[in-house]
Amino acid sequence: MIYPIVAFGHPVLKRKAKDVEVSQDLLAFIDDLYETMYAAKGVGLAAPQVGKGQRVFVVDGSPFAEDPENAVDSETLKTFKRAFINPVIVEESGEPWGFEEGCLSIPDIHANVIRHPNIVVHSVDEQGKPLVESFSGVPARIIQHEFDHIEGVLFTDRLQPLKKRLLKSKLNDIAKGNISTDYRMKFYLK
Ligand SMILES: [Zn+2]
């Protein structure tokens, strides 16, 4: 099932999501997240973006593998397709770097966001078994962006106040639904 994607301005995007139990229902929901992400041509999608306050997100970094700027991570990105269930970033390290981020909930806005390059993530797999994994570079970046969603944080929250002020009217337009996208969206203020 393809969900409409919740746009900037909806309170569900600002709420901290809750841990989930692994179940058949959850696995079916994860399939819906993939379907919704692919329909919108995204590389990641978190449950709050379809209006569900659950700590789960899916990623597929393969579209980024073609970009020469991501050459170092190209091999990893090609097969970087999976779900993260109840993830926690327990460690971030390395020299912070900038990467141009975008978001399906904030269409047509891109901005440079500074984050650490290396992370350690605890989560559970689709059988409920605990996982401890390390990621770096662009894959880590995608996880950090999606993890922010389940913490109620958007990439625009991480911008300098001046940059944020410059985007204010565009963000208001998105919240009010004054925007057109190739995928279906849901607006809180409309
Ligand atoms: Zn996003």
Side-chain angles (χ1 to χ4, degrees):
M1 176 177 112
I2 297 177
Y3 284 92
I5 291 179
V6 169
F8 177 92
H10 198 295
V12 71
L13 295 176
K14 302 299 288 178
R15 250 179 250 140
K16 202 172 157 145
K18 299 211 163 57
D19 274 343
V20 290
E21 296 285 338
V22 176
S23 65
Q24 283 310 311
D25 284 352
L26 178 71
L27 300 182
F29 176 55
I30 286 172
D31 283 342
D32 290 343
L33 281 177
Y34 278 120
E35 206 184 333
T36 304
M37 173 179 76
Y38 289 129
K41 299 189 172 63
V43 295
L45 186 69
Q49 292 181 278
V50 299
K52 311 265 183 206
Q54 302 184 4
R55 298 184 76 82
V56 53
F57 60 79
V58 297
V59 300
D60 185 344
S62 58
F64 277 177
E66 307 307 318
D67 188 336
E69 281 204 32
N70 304 326
V72 210
D73 299 310
S74 161
E75 282 309 307
T76 321
L77 284 169
K78 266 182 210 164
T79 54
F80 186 53
K81 175 192 165 171
R82 56 177 285 180
F84 285 84
I85 302 168
N86 298 338
V88 183
I89 297 180
V90 293
E91 198 182 309
E92 291 189 297
S93 63
E95 191 62 35
W97 67 303
F99 183 86
E100 197 82 352
E101 294 188 23
C103 181
L104 292 174
S105 295
I106 316 175
D108 296 338
I109 292 185
H110 291 87
N112 195 51
V113 182
I114 310 290
R115 300 182 192 267
H116 291 284
N118 309 313
I119 59 172
V120 179
V121 183
H122 290 184
S123 66
V124 297
D125 70 9
E126 293 182 10
Q127 283 80 46
K129 192 165 71 65
L131 298 172
V132 178
E133 299 164 288
S134 300
F135 300 90
S136 61
V138 179
R141 172 67 60 151
I142 297 171
I143 295 169
Q144 287 162 316
H145 177 112
E146 298 310 326
F147 179 75
D148 270 355
H149 275 300
I150 62 173
E151 290 286 298
V153 175
L154 299 171
F155 82 89
T156 45
D157 296 325
R158 295 191 173 275
L159 304 177
Q160 301 285 344
L162 174 65
K163 175 79 180 163
K164 233 188 140 172
R165 230 175 302 145
L166 291 172
L167 291 175
K168 203 170 174 178
S169 71
K170 266 177 125 175
L171 290 171
N172 282 339
D173 277 343
I174 294 172
K176 288 188 230 147
N178 298 331
I179 180 141
S180 76
T181 46
D182 295 341
Y183 48 91
R184 201 151 60 92
M185 294 196 83
K186 191 168 157 184
F187 303 95
Y188 185 62
L189 298 176
K190 204 171 178 175

